[in-house]
Amino acid sequence: MKNEESRELRKQVIALATALALQETERTGEDYTRAINKALDEACIRLGVNHKDFIKMFI
């Protein structure tokens, strides 16, 4: 994967995870810092990104 493609995919995962976490906090009142972990996992699944590969995008 090229750097630009990787950067774009990383942005998409982060944007989706943020939206999912905010929805969860509004729906359940759960703390954002707890909701974001689950949301990142869900965003990776929805976008077809391996969670470990997503973490590697920051290294």
Side-chain angles (χ1 to χ4, degrees), residues 10-23:
R10 183 174 63 194
K11 284 182 189 178
Q12 290 175 0
V13 171
I14 292 169
L16 180 55
T18 301
L20 291 170
L22 289 173
Q23 288 174 1

Side-chain angles (χ1 to χ4, degrees), residues 4-32:
E4 191 167 325
E5 290 173 347
S6 179
R7 222 173 320 191
E8 184 59 35
L9 188 55
R10 183 174 63 194
K11 284 182 189 178
Q12 290 175 0
V13 171
I14 292 169
L16 180 55
T18 301
L20 291 170
L22 289 173
Q23 288 174 1
E24 187 67 13
T25 59
E26 289 175 12
R27 188 175 67 79
T28 65
E30 183 178 14
D31 184 62
Y32 179 82

